[in-house]
Amino acid sequence: MKTAHVIGLGKSGLGAARLLRHQGWQVWVSDGQDGDGLRSQQQTLHQEGISVSLGQPYDAQGLSPDRPHLIVVSPGVPWDIPGLVAERHQGIDVIGEMGLAWRNLQPTPWVGITGTNGKTTTTALMAAIFQGSGLHAPACGNIGYSACELALQQDQPAARNQPLDWVIAELSSYQIESGGDIAPRIGLWTTFTPDHLNRHYTLDNYFAIKAQLLDQSEIQILNGDDPLLRERALNQWPDALWTSTQGKLGLPRNGDRGFYLEDGWVMDRGEAIVEAKTLHMVGHHNQQNLLMAVAAARQAGLDGTTIAQAVAQFPGVPHRLERVRTWQGVDFINDSKATNYDAAEVGLRAVEAPVILIAGGEAKAGDDRGWLGQIQRKAAAVVLIGSAAPQFAQRLGEVGYGPVEVAETLGAAVPRSAALAQTHGAKVVLLSPACASFDQYASFEHRGDDFRACCGALGDSSPG
């Protein structure tokens, strides 16, 4: 029997393990973490015939007495750790979870969406447009199903009645790096700013990994409003389609083939497709997300009327500028997905000043100057949480910003922010952390859910 080792017991690892077991592999999963939740999953997988080892970091020298035929790596596992490099050099088939999904789903055309920011909204909107056109086109990857979970569903008898028309896959740099020969029909690149440099080391490496997806795509669509993409990608894909919110003249090239805004409408080769204000999401950046989703839909052959109807019905994306409650005249906005400075800067731009900002978590490397500038322009006060609170308080002090408080947890930060909103006449309390969540939460979704719960716990009386 063929043997497979799946490294990492997150959503991706679960999907990969179950897909391989379904296909007759002997599967063993390892995870360096331990805890009640993982032990519960361990018991469930054991009942399914899948072995699980917890609390043992991956070691190529000997967690398993026998070399597996296949190693599947979850996105959170660095691709260049010495053990995996050694396994590859010794001829072991080592791939990422997304690469395994591609091996099973490649007869279906894919749309692959990558980018530092904007990819989740673009992916969700695109899936809604495709599905509104009557296509079976689920979102997967960083959003929705894990890609292997989707592949497993398609390997079931019930799937014969509803075969896939498209795969709409959100792909992080981690997933592309380990994805092997993933070759979408349509590849999109939403934005490019420094991120994940603790994993990829240099901006050039980070760019090259993202570019791999576009290199392997039949059709390339890029954000023409992004300065680094214009600088680095303009000559790399001479036939690419570009988008711009700045009108036809904002397109870097191929103006007759690009997608742009004109008089508030998304335009495709002179044809008005959908009015931009139809999208019920705030912020200039979401107009760019709309352009990219419409461009992909048109390249897939969808008609303008159907696209416009789907955009009008799209509710938005959880944890990305999501209005969770209006209380005492103050809107509480969940932007937990803003896990870096650039995304948090975009979140601040999208809301009306003055705002009470809740920020902090597990700090990332990056250029914080644009974010700090937006705080100075838009925020009446900043309430800090998580392990980054001392660092952020120091940086805000260095730029001369004064009204900063440390609340440590969302349970304390939300009621305090509500009180500050009343004091300063702010109409918005914005959770936009500019940080990863892992110091206090399992994921940004977990953090956003806690924010939602804390907002729901606010009473009907005035805050103290």
Side-chain angles (χ1 to χ4, degrees), residues 123-185:
T123 301
L125 177 56
M126 195 181 309
I129 292 172
F130 279 58
Q131 292 163 20
S133 300
L135 298 171
H136 183 32
C140 69
N142 265 11
I143 182 175
Y145 301 105
S146 75
C148 280
E149 184 182 1
L150 181 59
L152 177 59
Q153 289 180 4
Q154 294 308 300
D155 216 12
Q156 307 293 333
R160 295 172 191 150
N161 298 323
Q162 193 181 25
L164 283 175
D165 296 305
W166 286 84
V167 173
I168 312 296
E170 178 186 340
L171 293 153
S172 70
S173 57
Y174 300 171
Q175 290 165 316
I176 297 169
E177 184 179 37
S178 61
D181 54 357
I182 295 173
R185 178 76 55 81

Side-chain angles (χ1 to χ4, degrees), residues 40-293:
S40 176
Q41 290 180 338
Q42 181 184 41
Q43 293 176 358
T44 300
L45 290 175
H46 179 74
Q47 294 171 357
E48 298 174 19
I50 298 170
S51 300
V52 178
S53 299
L54 298 177
Q56 301 181 70
Y58 170 69
D59 178 5
Q61 298 306 312
L63 277 181
S64 174
D66 302 310
R67 285 277 187 254
H69 297 93
L70 173 68
I71 295 175
V72 181
V73 183
S74 297
V77 179
W79 188 239
D80 61 350
I81 58 176
L84 289 179
V85 173
E87 299 280 24
R88 292 196 290 271
H89 286 165
Q90 292 174 20
I92 303 295
D93 188 10
V94 182
I95 59 172
E97 179 263 346
M98 189 65 73
L100 176 62
W102 169 254
R103 292 182 182 182
N104 287 269
L105 292 172
Q106 61 178 290
T108 302
W110 285 41
V111 181
I113 304 98
T114 196
T116 310
N117 299 306
K119 57 184 179 292
T120 295
T121 299
T122 303
T123 301
L125 177 56
M126 195 181 309
I129 292 172
F130 279 58
Q131 292 163 20
S133 300
L135 298 171
H136 183 32
C140 69
N142 265 11
I143 182 175
Y145 301 105
S146 75
C148 280
E149 184 182 1
L150 181 59
L152 177 59
Q153 289 180 4
Q154 294 308 300
D155 216 12
Q156 307 293 333
R160 295 172 191 150
N161 298 323
Q162 193 181 25
L164 283 175
D165 296 305
W166 286 84
V167 173
I168 312 296
E170 178 186 340
L171 293 153
S172 70
S173 57
Y174 300 171
Q175 290 165 316
I176 297 169
E177 184 179 37
S178 61
D181 54 357
I182 295 173
R185 178 76 55 81
I186 304 170
L188 284 83
W189 195 336
T190 59
T191 57
F192 182 63
T193 54
D195 197 13
H196 303 305
L197 298 187
N198 58 331
R199 170 99 165 234
H200 301 313
Y201 309 116
T202 70
L203 194 64
D204 287 342
N205 285 344
Y206 182 41
F207 180 88
I209 290 166
K210 294 279 194 188
Q212 178 181 325
L213 182 74
L214 279 288
D215 283 336
Q216 295 173 180
S217 299
E218 292 182 29
I219 299 169
Q220 298 86 20
I221 300 173
L222 298 102
N223 175 2
D225 294 338
D226 186 283
L228 276 178
L229 282 181
R230 291 175 70 110
E231 174 188 332
R232 288 172 169 259
L234 188 58
N235 296 321
Q236 188 149 346
W237 301 288
D239 295 324
L241 296 170
W242 292 80
T243 63
S244 178
T245 61
Q246 306 303 310
K248 188 173 182 179
L249 294 178
L251 296 169
R253 63 156 43 120
N254 292 336
D256 291 336
R257 298 177 56 225
F259 291 76
Y260 55 93
L261 289 185
E262 182 175 275
D263 297 327
W265 285 78
V266 174
M267 305 296 293
D268 172 15
R269 287 163 286 196
E271 179 184 353
I273 304 299
V274 58
E275 198 169 8
K277 68 180 182 181
T278 304
L279 181 65
H280 304 298
M281 296 184 72
V282 298
H284 178 80
H285 64 290
N286 280 318
Q287 295 183 346
Q288 182 56 248
N289 296 334
L290 173 63
L291 280 167
M292 301 204 78

Side-chain angles (χ1 to χ4, degrees), residues 439-454:
D439 59 333
Q440 295 178 321
Y441 298 97
S443 63
F444 73 81
E445 294 98 337
H446 183 198
R447 177 172 59 193
D449 289 341
D450 189 29
F451 176 74
R452 190 183 293 114
C454 291

Side-chain angles (χ1 to χ4, degrees), residues 312-335:
Q313 295 169 7
F314 182 66
V317 177
H319 311 295
R320 191 63 174 123
L321 291 169
E322 173 195 16
R323 183 180 286 105
V324 299
R325 185 179 184 187
T326 300
W327 180 80
Q328 301 282 339
V330 179
D331 289 334
F332 287 75
I333 307 293
N334 171 19
D335 197 32

